[in-house]
């Protein structure tokens, strides 16, 4: 994993160098409690929300079991439900507004 990151002189980043850089960066952006693993969680949740299949999520996470991928899919389905309810409400308001406007003509 750390092989993907480079030091200031573009050499491989050592664990101690990563920790120092990570701590400095998360403090600078106002997220001192952010864990590196949280980025993985966000990335996989976003991938699930775009419609990634279980197989695709498993591949991204490096898992051979569907268990972890289903957690991200579930989060995406909960969000889909919330979005669908909000859209239903918005269409209801738009329909009522149209009916009211048409009746006043």
């Amino acid at each position: 994993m750390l092989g993907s990151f480079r030091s200031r002189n573009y050499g491989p980043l050592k664990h101690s160098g990563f920790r120092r850089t990570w701590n400095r960066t998360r403090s600078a952006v106002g997220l001192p409690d952010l864990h590196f693993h949280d980025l993985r969680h966000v990335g996989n949740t976003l991938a699930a929300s775009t419609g990634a299949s279980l197989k695709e999520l498993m591949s991204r996470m490096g898992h051979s079991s569907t268990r972890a991928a289903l957690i991200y899919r579930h989060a995406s389905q909960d969000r889909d439900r919330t979005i669908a309810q909000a859209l239903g409400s918005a269409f209801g308001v738009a329909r009522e507004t149209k009916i009211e406007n048409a009746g006043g003509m």
Side-chain angles (χ1 to χ4, degrees), residues 12-96:
L13 188 61
K14 294 182 173 69
H15 190 270
S16 60
F18 176 78
R19 169 93 43 212
R20 198 170 29 256
T21 302
W22 175 250
N23 289 339
R24 197 173 29 237
T25 301
R26 61 190 185 149
S27 292
V29 298
L31 298 169
D33 297 326
L34 182 69
H35 300 279
F36 191 73
H37 193 80
D38 295 340
L39 299 177
R40 175 183 165 96
H41 180 73
V42 169
N44 288 319
T45 300
L46 291 174
S49 73
T50 67
S53 69
L54 286 177
K55 186 173 182 173
E56 291 166 330
L57 290 171
M58 289 168 56
S59 175
R60 287 179 53 85
M61 293 184 287
H63 290 193
S64 58
S65 161
T66 59
R67 186 174 164 270
L70 287 171
I71 291 169
Y72 296 104
R73 271 305 268 281
H74 179 71
S76 175
Q77 289 169 346
D78 287 347
R79 185 70 182 136
D80 286 343
R81 191 174 303 112
T82 300
I83 292 168
Q85 289 170 346
L87 286 171
S89 296
F91 286 129
V93 168
R95 184 176 46 246
E96 291 302 316

Side-chain angles (χ1 to χ4, degrees), residues 91-102:
F91 286 129
V93 168
R95 184 176 46 246
E96 291 302 316
T97 302
K98 184 177 180 180
I99 291 171
E100 289 172 11
N101 289 342

